[in-house]
Amino acid sequence: MADNDNKTSIRSNSSVLLDGPSRAPARAMLKAVGFTDEDLSKPLIAVAHTWIEIMPCNAHLRDLAAHVKRGIRAAGATPIEFNTIAVCDGISMGTAGMRASLISREVIADSIELTVRGHLFDGVVAMSGCDKTIPATVMALQRLDLPSLMIYGGSIQPGRFGDQQVSIQDVFEAVGAHSAGKMKLEDLKRLEDVACPGVGACGGQFTANTMATATELLGISPMGSNSIPATDPKKPESAFQAGRLVVDLLKRNIRPSRIITRKALENAIAAVAMTGGSTNAVLHLLAIAHEAGIALDIDDFDRISSRTPLLADLKPGGRFLATDMYKAGGIPLIAKRLKEAGLLHENEMTVTGRTIGVEAEAARETAGQEVVRSIGKPIKETGGLVILKGNIAPEGCVVKVAGHERMTHRGPARVFDCEDDAFKAVSKQQIKAGDVVVIRYEGPKGAPGMPEMLGVTAALSGQGLGESVGLLTDGRFSGATHGLMAGHVAPEAAVGGPIAAVRDGDVITFDIAKRRLDVDLTDAEIKTRLKNWKAPEPHYKSGVMAKYAQSVSSSSRGAVTN
């Protein structure tokens, strides 16, 4: 009788859906797609993933899901698979399609939540493959608060161009080099053909691998699983074990609300800082905190980064790719370094049932590896994320300082009211050393959707201007962006933020040490300029884009919509 009671308790949702004479219609429909009475007597586990054929980041998730489902069945439960939408930043970058990227985070979270709530699943394995899908799946798991975990599809292998390892970052920068006459068209084509050799997410410590790192330190992904590359032979076994693990979580009634805590979020932020991760982690971890009802502020990122050494020598600012990181010891090695530095909240629970401190202790470092430095020999004494405030960004903005970037810059503004105009100016070599490129009306409401500026920033780098110009925007940057670039400027231009008052020729100063971003105008001058300011007409007046623009919050709050 005890076994039957336990079986009922771990089917507390699906028993309502499927048990008893009145639920015969539901059982009949499930039998139509192949489920048996035995299947329907077991806990139902959702296998929710972001498979889509349009991009390498997610194209293999349907195959990986088959291994998750094997693990669920082996553990005595019944898997049911479904997928959501996804948007590829690398493909849509520099077009109006890029506006859909951040919006897709909300749509993915909503669709997983709705499907799971609508069919009364008992647990969830969420599978993600690229930068928005990772936080989106975690946000959905928090809302549902069922026994669940998230696994990442893994990084792409590096391409080979001559004797060099290359990634998609090199292709974007090559576009700038070609426009400046530094690369022949046939060489650009050769690079294009080899940069992305198969499935997996973009290969540096760009947003996808940054968030994969963060979610392992957050405890919602099994330690060591996310850093396994997409095509590594160990990936299917890792997926199988994730399927078994979710059933164990169900039996022990361990839910995301027990795992994602304030201290766990601080562990995740520290891992981003230690690895020189993407500025997008600020948006996404703020959104995850919001879903969990945990107080987290943009200034917390600066505070944690300031005490965390930069140790991982990863692209875009460093030498190595995510596959090199895996060979060196993977994400567990970052947890180990945080523990060695006394920066890890060691007692936080993870989905494995072990604390993050125990997981860190179990990390194995490859002898002679050069990817992650020791505590005593950091690349930089402080981490890669810096929050600046000032009269352009009173709510703050985010800068990635991952090693050797300038700590100050002062120059005249070159102002553009959209990314496309800025890219055209860069392509025509109209930006000069010393300039500060200002791209506005690209924020959460203004674009809408806060597109990434990788086309512009990579073109500047490709022209050799990456170390001699500054750039600020109320939009976002790709994790592949490097140089002195301030994103997420808030309040954004579309709501009358001070960035809307800046004009060509105004002198702008970046001061990283003082955490300031200012234009040489008095508060009175800014106020006077904004008196005559009028909000531009929205780009979309109906549909999902308009709905998002009406409901989205400031980037300083994670650009959340509820």
Side-chain angles (χ1 to χ4, degrees):
M1 188 67 179
D3 287 344
N4 288 335
D5 288 345
N6 182 60
K7 190 175 180 181
T8 301
S9 68
I10 63 175
R11 294 183 64 245
S12 57
N13 285 351
S14 60
S15 63
V16 175
L17 185 77
L18 298 172
D19 291 0
S22 67
R23 302 310 302 160
R27 295 192 297 272
M29 296 192 76
L30 283 162
K31 288 175 180 178
V33 292
F35 292 100
T36 66
D37 284 327
E38 183 181 2
D39 294 330
L40 302 181
S41 70
K42 298 174 181 178
L44 298 187
I45 306 295
V47 180
H49 58 72
T50 52
W51 173 85
I52 190 170
E53 200 172 29
I54 201 168
M55 63 178 114
C57 326
N58 294 286
H60 61 305
L61 293 186
R62 196 161 56 170
D63 294 333
L64 204 59
H67 299 287
V68 175
K69 290 161 72 175
R70 282 195 306 111
I72 291 169
R73 291 191 191 100
T78 297
I80 300 182
E81 179 183 358
F82 66 89
N83 71 296
T84 75
I85 62 102
V87 173
C88 182
D89 294 5
I91 294 172
S92 64
M93 193 76 67
T95 73
M98 186 63 203
R99 294 170 177 164
S101 173
L102 186 60
I103 299 173
S104 76
R105 185 188 74 181
E106 313 307 306
V107 174
I108 293 163
D110 290 352
S111 63
I112 293 174
E113 179 191 3
L114 286 171
T115 302
V116 173
R117 289 195 193 282
H119 302 98
L120 278 68
F121 286 98
D122 300 299
V124 187
V125 175
M127 303 172 62
S128 59
C130 60
D131 36 1
K132 306 312 167 302
T133 64
I134 298 174
T137 51
V138 174
M139 290 161 66
L141 298 186
Q142 289 176 279
R143 295 176 191 175
L144 295 162
D145 203 30
L146 295 170
S148 53
L149 57 88
M150 189 281 290
I151 60 171
Y152 169 54
S155 176
I156 196 171
Q157 295 288 342
R160 300 295 304 183
F161 185 68
D163 61 353
Q164 295 181 332
Q165 284 194 153
V166 293
S167 72
I168 192 67
Q169 173 190 348
D170 297 283
V171 184
F172 275 102
E173 292 184 5
V175 172
H178 173 257
S179 70
K182 296 180 179 181
M183 179 179 253
K184 294 179 180 178
L185 182 60
E186 54 265 34
D187 289 333
L188 176 60
K189 176 63 165 60
R190 282 178 51 236
L191 176 61
E192 168 193 331
D193 289 343
V194 300
C196 300
V199 296
C202 299
Q205 193 68 344
F206 311 150
T207 307
N209 286 317
T210 295
M211 292 308 299
T213 301
T215 50
E216 278 200 23
L217 270 292
L218 200 56
I220 197 67
S221 293
M223 181 59 72
S225 64
N226 287 354
S227 47
I228 302 172
T231 56
D232 189 278
K234 293 181 181 177
K235 200 68 176 181
E237 175 62 19
S238 175
F240 175 80
Q241 293 301 332
R244 294 184 64 94
L245 181 57
V246 73
V247 181
D248 184 56
L249 289 170
L250 181 61
K251 290 175 179 176
R252 292 186 291 129
N253 195 30
I254 295 178
R255 300 167 183 255
S257 55
R258 284 186 59 188
I259 292 168
I260 298 175
T261 65
R262 166 71 191 215
K263 288 182 178 179
L265 283 160
E266 290 193 357
N267 285 339
I269 294 168
V272 172
M274 185 170 277
T275 58
S278 169
T279 53
N280 283 313
V282 177
L283 275 181
H284 298 325
L285 289 172
L286 284 170
I288 288 170
H290 175 82
E291 296 291 351
I294 295 169
L296 189 71
D297 187 84
I298 191 172
D299 292 326
D300 290 318
F301 290 82
D302 195 88
R303 176 180 57 81
I304 294 167
S305 184
S306 294
R307 72 188 186 203
T308 306
L310 177 65
L311 299 183
D313 192 4
L314 294 167
K315 289 180 178 290
R319 295 181 292 160
F320 297 105
L321 292 167
T323 49
D324 302 309
M325 173 76 169
Y326 172 62
K327 294 171 187 174
I331 296 168
L333 183 55
I334 298 301
K336 183 180 178 72
R337 289 288 192 268
L338 287 170
K339 183 174 181 178
E340 291 169 351
L343 297 171
L344 186 71
H345 298 296
E346 297 183 33
N347 294 325
E348 298 308 294
M349 176 63 68
T350 76
V351 289
T352 66
R354 297 180 290 273
T355 66
I356 194 72
V358 170
E359 295 285 12
E361 194 62 37
R364 294 292 177 261
E365 180 175 354
T366 302
Q369 66 85 21
E370 298 179 2
V371 182
V372 181
R373 295 195 186 183
S374 65
I375 296 296
K377 295 182 179 179
I379 298 169
K380 194 167 165 286
E381 295 290 341
T382 56
L385 292 176
V386 173
I387 304 300
L388 307 184
K389 292 187 176 180
N391 66 357
I392 298 179
E395 290 181 11
C397 64
V398 186
V399 176
K400 180 163 67 174
V401 184
H404 307 292
E405 291 90 349
R406 293 155 290 151
M407 297 300 284
T408 61
H409 182 86
R410 181 174 169 84
R414 294 294 312 279
V415 181
F416 303 94
D417 286 347
C418 67
E419 179 194 10
D420 189 49
D421 288 349
F423 185 77
K424 288 175 182 175
V426 174
S427 298
K428 294 176 182 178
Q429 298 184 264
Q430 295 173 349
I431 305 301
K432 306 301 179 186
D435 286 347
V436 176
V437 178
V438 178
I439 307 175
R440 62 191 180 190
Y441 298 105
E442 297 287 10
K445 287 183 181 292
M450 207 179 176
E452 294 176 349
M453 306 288 127
L454 180 58
V456 174
T457 61
L460 287 169
S461 294
Q463 290 183 6
L465 292 171
E467 298 306 316
S468 59
V469 301
L471 188 148
L472 63 97
T473 179
D474 51 10
R476 296 183 295 124
F477 294 128
S478 164
T481 293
H482 58 106
L484 192 55
M485 313 286 178
H488 312 191
V489 169
E492 62 176 291
V495 299
I499 189 175
V502 179
R503 297 174 182 168
D504 272 333
D506 288 343
V507 176
I508 293 174
T509 301
F510 292 74
D511 191 326
I512 304 299
K514 293 182 179 178
R515 302 296 195 261
R516 297 289 302 182
L517 177 65
D518 293 290
V519 59
D520 282 7
L521 297 172
T522 66
D523 290 346
E525 287 172 316
I526 292 173
K527 189 175 182 180
T528 297
R529 288 187 183 184
L530 289 175
K531 275 185 179 178
N532 297 319
W533 173 85
K534 290 183 180 179
E537 283 291 308
H539 291 288
Y540 305 92
K541 296 185 179 179
S542 63
V544 66
M545 312 291 265
K547 187 190 305 183
Y548 179 87
Q550 291 166 8
S551 61
V552 69
S553 72
S554 168
S555 59
S556 65
R557 294 176 51 208
V560 295
T561 55
N562 60 325

